[in-house]
Structure formats: structure tokens, C-alpha cells
Amino acid sequence: MSNNADPVFWDHARRHLVRYGGRFEPLIIERAEGSFVYDADGRAILDFTSGQMSAILGHCHPEISEVVRRHAATLDHLFSGMLSRPVVDLAAALAKVAPGALERCLMLSTGAEANEAAIKMAKLATGHYEVVGFAQSWHGMTGAAASATYSAGRRGYGPSAVGSFAIPAPYPYRPQFERDGRYDWAAELDYAFALIDRQSNGSLAAFIAEPILSSGGLLDLPFGYLAALKQKCAERGMLLLLDEAQTGLGRTGLMFACERDGVVPDMLILSKTLGAGLPLSAVVTTAAIEELAYERGFLFYTTHVSDPLPAAVGLKALEVVRRDRLVERAVVAGARLEKGLRALQQRFDCIGDVRGRGLLLGLELVKDRRSKAPAPELGAAITRRCMALGLSMNIVQLPGMGGVFRIAPPLTISDEEIDLGLSILSDAFAAETRKAA
Ligand SMILES: Cc1ncc(COP(=O)(O)O)c(C=O)c1O
């Protein structure tokens, strides 16, 4: 019997765990290292999603482990009104790498929590309360973050925050607005904001956006879109909040994805990748916004705000990314991965689209490229087959699109590991499309 089938483990899991979304993999993961996780039979599974899109340095990076060990033994958690060196050092380091005049930081734990803080600060600084997001967004599971999340989880919990609005994210593969046979995202954006202006009570505070909407199907904002969005915000006195949970710290081949567009948001929100898999998030904003919020009594006093241990982890993650030139590595490794995915697309008619940047790539599955009809069963079958062959893949299935594999391996992944993942994917596609034929 496989050790993954341990009846006591599964009996306890069934009886004592709350199920919080989707199904659990029928595996017991005992250990993780580098680009792999290992199950209870010692089987290596290549992790093409860096855990929850977070472990950019791979699992259990020795230098991160060492920081955790040292801080757990010497400086872990403090009264929230106390400061320590890792927190101030990380704030200074983020101010140095962040674009433009983003220089004041708030250190928290999760992505949702940081978005919560950013939205609160935006409301206080503008004196307004309406928040706009994309209809395919994911910003987290708590109050304001959940109110700005439209890709999932809205039903059954009562009213979202008053003044929550959504506009469609640009989606070149399935364009809604066309001019002369070409997708016209600028017309779509104009129309969307005309609708926002009609619905607004005159209290627009902020737009919150991911530069690449990951949970929304890996929708990459076309070049120029972010600048146009910033302009729309400026015209209305709204702040632009950029949620770089998944795109921050080199993943797209730049330190921050917004650098491609030369757009500096009013707040840059980091999480996931900042802690390289451990719980750390940050809001980075301008001195002017921070001063205004402070004068108006900004309150975000949490148990783990400014904790030294996670801040020291973030500082080390940033140091390793820069020292080991992982931003540049994401460009090279991403190109190799993308080339392999495009080669697969040539062979399999069910791969409708390959998109993304650096080491954050998406692959949209369809019945065939001509109809672009979604193929949810095929997506689920390929995901299962990959896991059976030793590759962990993640697929999002949203209405109005095919299933989208989100591929985001650690930035430390080797060429050989990329090729291994591509070869498993190829086998899985071959086996499942043969079955479906
Ligand atoms: C873009 C983005 N923002 C925020 C979040 C929420 O982060 P957390 O789950 O750490 O609260 C996620 C989580 O998937 C995310 O993808």
C-alpha cells in the first residue's frame, strides 16, 4: 500500500479539517526542496507553481532556512509599537528598488491583509470610498480585498462593500471590442469608465489592479494599458493600487511588472513572492500619501505588523534575487519555457493560447483552436495526468474562457528542470488528447 493512503491521516483529515476550496490532492507531502516536493513514498513532484505562486527561491532555500532558524532563536515577534533592524532595513531596501517616489512601507503578513491596508489608506487619503477592480481579479479573502475580488467567492456572504465596481480586464485572445478587425482595448477601457462614471456617487477612491491577472486566467495587460488606466485614475482623483503579489520580485523578468510600462502606481502591494513562500506582505507608497493618511489618523494596528522574523526573510529574499541575478534569469528561463510551450501548441490543437511574461506563463486550453470552445474535462484530465507523472500544475476554470494553466516555477529552476516539466506536459497532452479523440 502506498504511504500516501495512510488511513489514519485521511480519516483525521476528513473528520477534522475545514474544506476551504477545491479538493485536496490525494497525497501526503512530507518534504520540499528546490523545485520539487516529495510525497510519502519519496516520489519527487516538480512544482510548476512555486507552491501558491510564492516560493521564488525554490522550497527551503538554505539561506532562508538559516534566517528563520536564527531569528526564531534570537528575534521573532514584538509588541507592534516596537521597531527592529530587519523591518527598517527591509523598508529602506524596498524604497530603493521600488519605482518612482514609492518610499514608505508597511510590513504585514498576507496579500489580502496588505490590500486591506492599501484600500483603507486610499480611502483615508482621498476622503472617498468607491473602489474599482477588474471583473477577473483576485485580491484576497478578507473584507475590502474580497469586495474587490470578482473572479470567485462573491456568492453567499451577503453584501460586498458599498461602492465596489468592476470593469472587464483586457483579453486579447477573446476580444470584446474590435475596430477594423483588431482588438481595441482603449475603446473597451473608455466604455468601461463611462459606465463607472454613471454608477459612481462621486466618491471614487482607487482602482486596484494586478499587472497580470493570474487567478483570472493569466490575462496580461497589453503594453500601454496601465498608463491609460493611470490616466483614467488621475482624471478622477483616484489612486492606482498595483497588486504585485505574484509579479513582484523578478517573476516577469523585471523587478516589478509595472516597470515594463514605465508606470508608477500610488501604492505597490507586495506579498507571496516577497516572503519567498513565508507569510510576508508590504504596502509601499509615497511620502505624500503616507503623510496625509497619518495626519488623518491611519490605523492598521495588527498583531504581526512589523514583525522582525518575516521582515528578515524578505530582506534575504530580496538580497538573493539581486545577488543571484534572478530577474535576468527569469527572462532567460522564461524564454526557454515559453519556447517549449509554443512548440507544444504546434503539436496540440487544444492549446489555444500561450501568454504571459518571464516565468509567469499561461496556457489556455480549448476544444480546438478554431472554435475556442472551453474543454474543462480535458483540462482536469491533463492536470491529473501531470500529477501522476510527477508534475504539479494548476488550472483555473472561469466562465467565458477555456481552462488556463498558470505556470510559475521558482526563479531558481534549472534548464534541465524546465525541460523535464515540458516533457511531462508533452506526455500528458499526448495521452489525454489520444483518449479524448
Ligand atoms: C494577486 C493576488 N493578490 C492577493 C492575493 C491574496 O493573497 P493571500 O492569499 O496571501 O491573502 C492573491 C492570492 O492568490 C493574489 O493572487
Side-chain angles (χ1 to χ4, degrees):
M1 184 184 78
S2 162
N3 294 318
N4 292 302
D6 180 347
V8 176
F9 177 94
W10 289 109
D11 179 54
H12 284 179
R14 246 186 315 273
R15 286 183 16 213
H16 303 303
L17 290 180
V18 168
R19 289 158 290 179
Y20 44 78
R23 66 179 189 103
F24 295 115
E25 289 292 342
L27 298 172
I28 305 173
I29 301 301
E30 302 281 14
R31 136 184 125 73
E33 187 182 345
S35 302
F36 292 89
V37 301
Y38 296 85
D39 74 5
D41 293 331
R43 191 172 73 106
I45 300 164
L46 182 59
D47 183 357
F48 252 24
T49 66
S50 308
Q52 196 63 35
M53 313 284 172
S54 301
I56 47 167
L57 304 183
H59 294 280
C60 304
H61 189 280
E63 288 172 83
I64 297 288
S65 307
E66 157 56 21
V67 168
V68 172
R69 212 174 291 121
R70 182 154 38 87
H71 275 270
T74 59
L75 185 59
D76 51 1
H77 154 81
L78 295 173
F79 168 65
S80 300
M82 286 178 176
L83 287 178
S84 59
R85 289 189 186 281
V87 168
V88 173
D89 290 350
L90 179 58
L94 286 176
K96 202 159 163 197
V97 291
L102 297 170
E103 57 181 337
R104 300 246 167 128
C105 307
L106 175 69
M107 250 57 93
L108 296 161
S109 307
T110 68
E113 194 188 20
N115 287 328
E116 210 70 47
I119 289 171
K120 268 187 117 173
M121 200 186 293
K123 288 179 179 175
L124 204 59
T126 58
H128 289 162
Y129 67 89
E130 291 168 335
V131 176
V132 189
F134 285 122
Q136 299 90 328
S137 60
W138 185 294
H139 297 293
M141 296 285 91
T142 62
S147 287
T149 292
Y150 292 92
S151 65
R154 293 191 80 81
R155 303 231 165 139
Y157 307 103
S160 303
V162 172
S164 300
F165 302 119
I167 70 167
Y171 188 5
Y173 183 59
R174 297 176 192 271
Q176 299 286 331
F177 276 71
E178 287 184 335
R179 189 179 291 168
D180 302 328
R182 290 187 51 201
Y183 177 42
D184 189 347
W185 55 256
E188 186 177 45
L189 184 63
D190 286 343
Y191 185 64
F193 265 86
L195 288 181
I196 294 297
D197 290 338
R198 294 238 171 178
Q199 295 168 84
S200 167
N201 292 339
S203 190
L204 289 166
F207 194 106
I208 183 163
E210 299 158 72
I212 298 175
L213 288 88
S214 173
S215 308
L218 225 115
L219 304 180
D220 186 0
L221 299 186
F223 182 74
Y225 190 96
L226 211 49
L229 182 61
K230 172 120 192 195
Q231 179 63 27
K232 295 279 183 215
C233 289
E235 286 161 7
R236 290 161 179 79
M238 301 166 74
L239 301 184
L240 177 62
L241 318 182
L242 264 195
D243 180 352
E244 293 229 20
Q246 299 201 17
T247 53
L249 265 84
R251 160 119 5 249
T252 68
L254 290 165
M255 185 56 89
F256 304 107
C258 62
E259 289 172 27
R260 183 202 65 175
D261 301 71
V263 170
V264 181
D266 297 292
M267 295 186 205
L268 178 66
I269 303 143
L270 305 172
S271 55
K272 289 187 184 282
T273 56
L274 181 61
L278 294 175
L280 172 67
S281 59
V283 180
V284 191
T285 191
T286 63
I289 291 172
E290 194 275 340
E291 291 289 347
L292 200 55
Y294 174 74
E295 277 166 25
R296 294 178 178 176
F298 181 64
L299 180 69
F300 210 86
Y301 204 89
T302 73
T303 303
H304 295 293
V305 68
S306 296
D307 258 357
L309 188 154
V313 167
L315 204 52
K316 181 56 79 177
L318 198 54
E319 180 195 320
V320 174
V321 165
R322 296 171 82 192
R323 184 198 66 203
D324 295 353
R325 305 181 70 80
L326 294 180
V327 181
E328 292 85 339
R329 175 65 193 152
V331 176
V332 176
R336 187 182 190 96
L337 182 55
E338 185 176 339
K339 189 166 164 230
L341 295 176
R342 291 203 185 279
L344 286 182
Q345 190 183 24
Q346 294 301 311
R347 286 175 50 210
F348 299 104
D349 191 41
C350 63
I351 301 181
D353 194 25
V354 175
R355 52 184 180 250
R357 282 184 246 167
L359 277 174
L360 183 57
L361 296 171
L363 193 156
E364 181 161 343
L365 275 190
V366 288
K367 279 211 169 65
D368 58 83
R369 276 204 282 277
R370 198 186 46 76
S371 74
K372 295 188 181 179
E377 309 77 25
L378 181 63
I382 292 172
T383 310
R384 275 195 305 273
R385 175 75 67 160
C386 282
M387 183 55 87
L389 295 173
L391 175 69
S392 175
M393 293 284 287
N394 175 283
I395 192 161
V396 287
Q397 312 254 19
L398 292 177
M401 59 170 60
V404 179
F405 283 118
R406 301 183 296 159
I407 307 177
L411 307 188
T412 50
I413 192 165
S414 67
D415 286 350
E416 295 70 34
E417 289 165 345
I418 289 174
D419 295 347
L420 172 65
L422 285 166
S423 138
I424 294 177
L425 260 177
S426 166
D427 291 348
F429 269 95
E432 292 303 330
T433 48
R434 211 178 308 119
K435 243 170 74 184

